[in-house]
Amino acid sequence: MTSTLPPSPPESTVPHVRVDITEELDLAGLSEVAHVLDRVLALRPREVTIDLAQCRHVDAAAIALLLDVHRRLARRDAVLILSNPHPRIRRILSTAGLGVSVPVVDTPRPAARGRARVGSARR
């Protein structure tokens, strides 16, 4: 009898992915953001940065999504970084305890060239 082991998961295929959140991160638009983040995680990046500079609101559902992304990345020894949150959002993240397990940093914003933005059709 021969036995074959399941293939080991592939190594990271990209070193870093950056996602800009350009609107409110709340229950109303969360399914679209979750879909994008699922596709990002399928790339098996070593690091994912979610830039919150243009986001002015996060709710409990968004915090849960960010924690889920963090856990999924951590299982593969990859990292989630939240960058440039508005001071009010930084306080919300801190109150939720997210800043303990996920780095929250202020970084210079790169030029717009070559970046993809995710925005919803809601107006």
Side-chain angles (χ1 to χ4, degrees), residues 57-118:
H57 176 73
V58 296
D59 65 8
I63 298 290
L65 174 66
L66 295 173
L67 280 170
D68 179 59
V69 169
H70 162 68
R71 289 182 190 119
R72 290 167 63 188
L73 286 165
R75 278 187 233 126
R76 294 193 323 251
D77 293 323
V79 178
L80 172 64
I81 298 170
L82 302 176
S83 68
N84 304 316
H86 184 274
R88 186 173 56 79
I89 290 179
R90 185 181 290 272
R91 283 190 300 277
I92 292 168
L93 297 172
S94 177
T95 300
L98 201 57
V100 174
S101 56
V102 177
V104 179
V105 300
D106 290 316
T107 59
R109 297 188 40 100
R113 183 184 64 198
R115 293 192 318 178
R117 292 185 173 237
V118 175

Side-chain angles (χ1 to χ4, degrees), residues 3 7 9-10 12 16-18 30 38 42 53 55 66 69-70 72 74-75 82 99 112 114 120:
S3 114
S12 295
H16 180 255
V17 175
R18 178 187 179 98
L30 211 57
D38 284 343
C55 178
L66 295 173
V69 169
H70 162 68
R72 290 167 63 188
R75 278 187 233 126
L82 302 176
S120 72

